[in-house]
Amino acid sequence: ALETVKQWHGSSRTQSMMKAGKLKETTLDEAQQNYRVAVENGLLKILSKMGISLLSSYQGAQIFEAIGLGEDVINTSLKGTTSRVGGVSLADIASETVMMRPESASEKAKLTNYGYYKPVPKLGEYHANSSDLAKLLHDAIGLDKTVSAATNRDEVENDGVKPKSVANYEIFKKSLESAPLANIRDLLDFESDRESIPIEEVEPVSEIMKRFCTGAMSLGALSREAHETLAIAVNRVGGKSNSGEGGEDVIRGKDITDVDEKGRSPTFPHLAGLKNGDSANSYIHQVASGRFGVTPEFLVTAKQVEIKMAQGAKPGEGGQLPGPKVSDYIATLRASKPGVTLISPPPHHDIYSIEDLAQLIHDLHAVNEKAGVSVKLVSSIGIGTVACGVAKANADVIQISGGDGGTGASPLSSIKHAGCPWELGLSEAHSALMNNGLRDRVTLRVDGGIRTGRDIAIAAMMGAEEYGFGTIAMIAEGCVMARVCHLNTCPVGVTSQKEELRKKFPGTPEHVVNFFLFVAEEVRELMAHLGYSKFEDLIGRADLLKESDEQLARVAKTKGVSLTGFFSGIPDSKEDRAFLRATPEEGGGVKTETVHVNGFSSDLDREMCNHPDVKTAIERNSGETAVSFNIKNTDRSACAMLAGDIARKYGNKGLDGNLNINIFGSAGQSFGAFVLPGLKVRLTGEANDYVGKGMHGGEIVVLPEADAGFVASESSIVGNACLYGATGGDFHANGRAGERFCVRNSGAYAVCEGTGDHCCEYMTGGVVVALGTVGRNVGAGMTGGIGYFYDEDGRFEERVNGEIVKIQRVSTPAGELQLKNMIERHFEKTGSEKAEAILDNWSEEVGKFWQVYPPSEAQSAVVTDSIVGEQVKVSARAPSQDLCYLPVGADLNADQTTRCAD
């Protein structure tokens, strides 16, 4: 490779381009080094995606799967690699390579094909979703992209929605059927065991559409108009819309009741085609492992909560939102900074094992007992084993996400050669669950490139009960496949946050409903042809599918594909259909109406919620109330149910009064999860992992027992991943915290006496003070908030990840004021000996602190010298629920205590 770089660098063409300024001038050594850096970066990205730390662990691991490679290729070049459906032979590869050469070696012709990435060039790869396909669908559903708020929508009848056209939908459908082979399902056909029946005997579209869902596309990736229109449309047909991982405006939790005769609502003035009784609240609220917009109210207003373990299109990476798309509105919802790019942590930041996933499922079942919990998994080899673990972990729904799912904000290196077809993952998961007697515990949902009724029928026969529409649903509301989602320049306002482009959004809920009606009617036609009147009778019936000889013969490359083995492992469920109902222990009813309930591990939570003083305090919503409880380490997610009860009644603002919960003992995982304003929790003892997960307000104090017999500042008192995804509140721990303290913190003000590795990772807001030593990798991915670190051993600088953040000594009056007041508050709350010693010798000790800040905080008063009088925040919230501020340079007045207005 380095020799190739040498030849390239030495060519006359390269040298002339450098001299002309078309290429950056480099020496040969620099060019070779650039190549090496590029290769290493690519390798590191793959290692990161797969969760591998050491190169030695990567070597020989064979963590990939071949799709479309024949047995001779595997045995010759990739011995031991999984290849489930066969494919091209060495002869096929040789033939294709020759075809790509220019006709004559003597001609100075260019390669016939430079690679199959771009859909636009004539010789590029076929892409199922294209501007041509969008035009065909728009004609079918009656969408005119020229009609919008920016043009003449108010002047045309029915907001410009034209009558839907069955004939045009048939053209749309035929275009997909006659297109180049692109999916495994394209090689399949139906083979029924019954005679056809009249379509009148088939169940109505209204029943079929209840199984339709939208993909998890976030508000931020989509514009407000596009996101809300999709939710309203899916709610109209009785399906399940998905919020994605960006949170949702609380106003969407209420039904729309102020629609006028023109279909306009003052509450949602940017939308058209509304009806009284519509709801813009997404049925499924995605928490993406507890981050971005996850608040107590967001959780309790969900009918289902989805844990995004990974994304089908780019497994191993978190969600990504480019800075230009983070508007003031989006930043508010996500508790982050406008204009700053947001990248979600991959799941391994808080989920290392199936037990950790089970704990998050437990947390969500606690905060909202009526909502089911779904877990989104990526289609890949071995997903069956994972699905069984997820079912045992008490999930209600498992979603299989295929590699064809869309993502509007990812580089090619994230989405190419990643993810597998959902056909492989779905059939494996369904089979494993059936064989292990777990299929009746969960509903299976699938998404990733589903577009037609035929796709739905095939997915059902492979075991899916619900079906997600992603990109095609966006097309149904106006997307023209311009492929500029990441640039914030969508010409029809579907994926832009710019006001002038959002006004060009042409869609209404009726357009999307029209599309769903067409798909459901197509399903009914297939059912009639196959002789089935009830849709559920198709689920799991892989025996109704067969290889299509006609399709396999269309292209030489597919002649080596064999799907026989692909179906042989799917259990025969023709006679035994019990898996379609819930378990006998849960009543054996409809699975979608059954929600798993936490067992004894939530008994303490139930005791808290049913305590008469607690009930009175919530109802009265004023004054001070104090209650006490004992806890043991099998009591998990303590206070989450209580937070849910308060959020259901008062939303995110919590209580006006103070409910003081005093707890004694050793707490299990997720103590104080989702605590909100007005709820003050004090634990005397110790706590496990995830303390304060998703904390939104209020206060959590953890301190050791008076006779603990150890030095608090030298001992761990809380576990790993504390305050993960916190959006507010004050936290004080009189002792050390474990690893990943305050990962994705976006609003909490936290003080502890030292931490493990990865403190403040992916942090977007709030303030962290560590009064002791910390581990490595401090501030990795941190884009907001401030950290203060007491450098006892003089080694703090080497522990900081300087990729984004910078460090300095506490050099401003505002910074010193903020730090000192937080430490004083910590002393008042916990009696910390370490805090007292620092405060007693403040003039010297303050010089031992480092301040860590990202670029977004560089001009804030605590980082840069500012005018006296500018306000500095020293606590997440005061008891009055007003922001607690002190003027820069000011002392505490007579009405304030060292606990900042407490």
Side-chain angles (χ1 to χ4, degrees), residues 472-489:
I472 197 69
M474 288 168 54
I475 293 175
E477 60 176 353
C479 169
V480 293
M481 293 304 297
R483 301 181 187 275
V484 290
C485 309
H486 58 299
L487 300 177
N488 202 30
T489 56

Side-chain angles (χ1 to χ4, degrees), residues 709-744:
F710 55 77
V711 178
S713 61
E714 297 175 359
S715 305
S716 293
I717 196 167
V718 293
N720 297 321
C722 296
L723 297 178
Y724 190 96
T727 55
D730 289 329
F731 175 87
H732 298 273
N734 186 12
R736 294 181 60 84
E739 294 187 1
R740 303 192 189 279
F741 184 70
C742 281
V743 170
R744 180 55 83 223

Side-chain angles (χ1 to χ4, degrees), residues 25 56 224 239 246 250 352 364 396 413 443 506 546 659 760 835 868:
E25 285 199 45
S56 57
R224 237 187 122 172
V250 294
Y352 294 88
L364 299 175
D396 301 279
S413 59
T443 297
K546 67 172 183 176
L659 177 53
C760 299
V868 172

